[in-house]
Amino acid sequence: MLGGDPVIFLVGSIFLIPALLVAIPAHELGHAVAAVMMGDPSPRNRGYFRRQPRVFFNVYGVIAAFLANVTWGSPVPVNEYRLDGIGRKVAYALGGPLANLVVAIVFGVLLRLLAATGGLANPTTFRQDPLGLAATICYGIFFLNLSTFAFQLLPVPGLDGWRVVEALFRSRNPRFFFNVAANTQTIWMVAILVVLFAPLLLHFSVLDAAVAIFFQPASTGILGQCAGYVVLHPCLV
C-alpha cells in the first residue's frame, strides 16, 4: 500500500474513506464526552450526540486526510467558562486524541487477530481476497486514527496539543497566547509551506518527523510494527 505510484495512491485513498468516517466523529465525540464529564453540558444540551454525522466534518480536514493522512473536524460547541481549572481544560483537550487512540487500539487488536487467523505476515499489505480486504480496511482505520491522535498532540495553534500548552501556561503569559491566537492563520500558512517545501529543499519530511514522535511508539506498542500509509511515513529509522 506504500509507495509513490498514482494507482497505489488512488487505492489507498479509497480505503481511507471508511477510516475518515470513523476517525473524525470519534475525535469530536471524544471532545464532547470529555466536556460533559468535566461539567459542561453544552454538547448534550445542543443535541450534539444525536446529530447527523456530517456535522463533525470539516472540508479542509477531509482534504488533508487524503493529501497528508492527518485530519481534523468541526469543533465541538462548548462553554469554556464551565471548563474552569487547568485539569478540566487539559482533560477536554485530550478527549479527542484519546478517543482516536482507543479506536486505533481496537482495530490494532483486530488486525493482529486477522494476521494470526489468516496467516497475514504483514496486515498493511493489500491482498485481493476477503481477508486481505478486511485487513486493509482495518489498517486504514487503525492508521488514520493513530495518525490523527499523534498529529493532534502536536503543540501547534489550533491543535489539541496547543490547547494543553495553553491550559498549563496561559496564566503566566496571557499576552503571548493572545498574540499567538491572533496570528494562528499566519502560523498555519508558514507551517504548510514548511511541510510542502522541506522535502524538496532539505530531503526531509517535517510532517513525518513530527507525527512520528507519538505515532511510532504507539504503533509499535499496539501493532508490533510501524508503517506508513501512501503519503505519511511516520516511522523514523
Side-chain angles (χ1 to χ4, degrees), residues 82 84 126 138 163 176 183:
R82 292 182 178 271
D84 57 332
F126 177 75
C138 286
R163 287 180 178 149
F176 169 76
N183 293 281

Side-chain angles (χ1 to χ4, degrees), residues 4-206:
D5 191 306
V7 175
I8 294 177
F9 177 81
L10 178 59
V11 172
S13 296
I14 291 173
F15 279 98
L16 270 184
I17 294 174
L20 191 65
L21 295 176
V22 174
I24 291 180
H27 185 87
E28 298 307 328
L29 285 173
H31 281 307
V33 170
V36 172
M37 291 179 65
M38 292 300 107
D40 178 21
S42 300
R44 183 178 59 209
N45 292 343
R46 297 182 185 183
Y48 202 76
F49 297 112
R50 300 190 301 272
R51 292 188 177 184
Q52 295 296 322
R54 64 175 177 269
V55 303
F56 300 117
F57 293 91
N58 176 290
V59 63
Y60 299 109
V62 171
I63 293 172
F66 295 107
L67 297 182
N69 293 164
V70 296
T71 190
W72 59 88
S74 297
V76 176
V78 298
N79 183 349
E80 295 192 6
Y81 290 104
R82 292 182 178 271
L83 300 174
D84 57 332
I86 294 176
R88 292 186 179 187
K89 287 182 171 64
V90 169
Y92 167 72
L94 293 178
L98 288 179
N100 290 124
L101 179 60
V102 169
V103 174
I105 291 172
V106 170
F107 279 88
V109 171
L110 182 56
L111 270 171
R112 301 192 76 154
L113 290 174
L114 285 172
T117 302
L120 296 176
N122 183 0
T124 70
T125 301
F126 177 75
R127 265 181 24 186
Q128 294 181 334
D129 60 76
L131 192 59
L133 291 173
T136 303
I137 292 171
C138 286
Y139 181 73
I141 297 173
F142 164 83
F143 178 87
L144 191 60
N145 275 276
L146 199 61
S147 68
T148 301
F149 156 78
F151 175 70
Q152 286 287 343
L153 287 181
L154 298 177
V156 177
L159 300 182
D160 296 323
W162 183 256
R163 287 180 178 149
V164 173
V165 172
E166 188 173 22
L168 294 174
F169 302 108
R170 184 180 181 89
S171 61
R172 301 182 186 180
N173 196 337
R175 175 171 287 275
F176 169 76
F177 287 96
F178 175 82
N179 290 335
V180 169
N183 293 281
T184 296
Q185 186 174 3
T186 302
I187 293 171
W188 268 87
M189 290 176 64
V190 172
I192 291 172
L193 290 175
V194 170
V195 168
L196 291 176
F197 290 104
L200 300 176
L201 300 176
L202 305 175
H203 305 288
F204 174 78
S205 174
V206 174

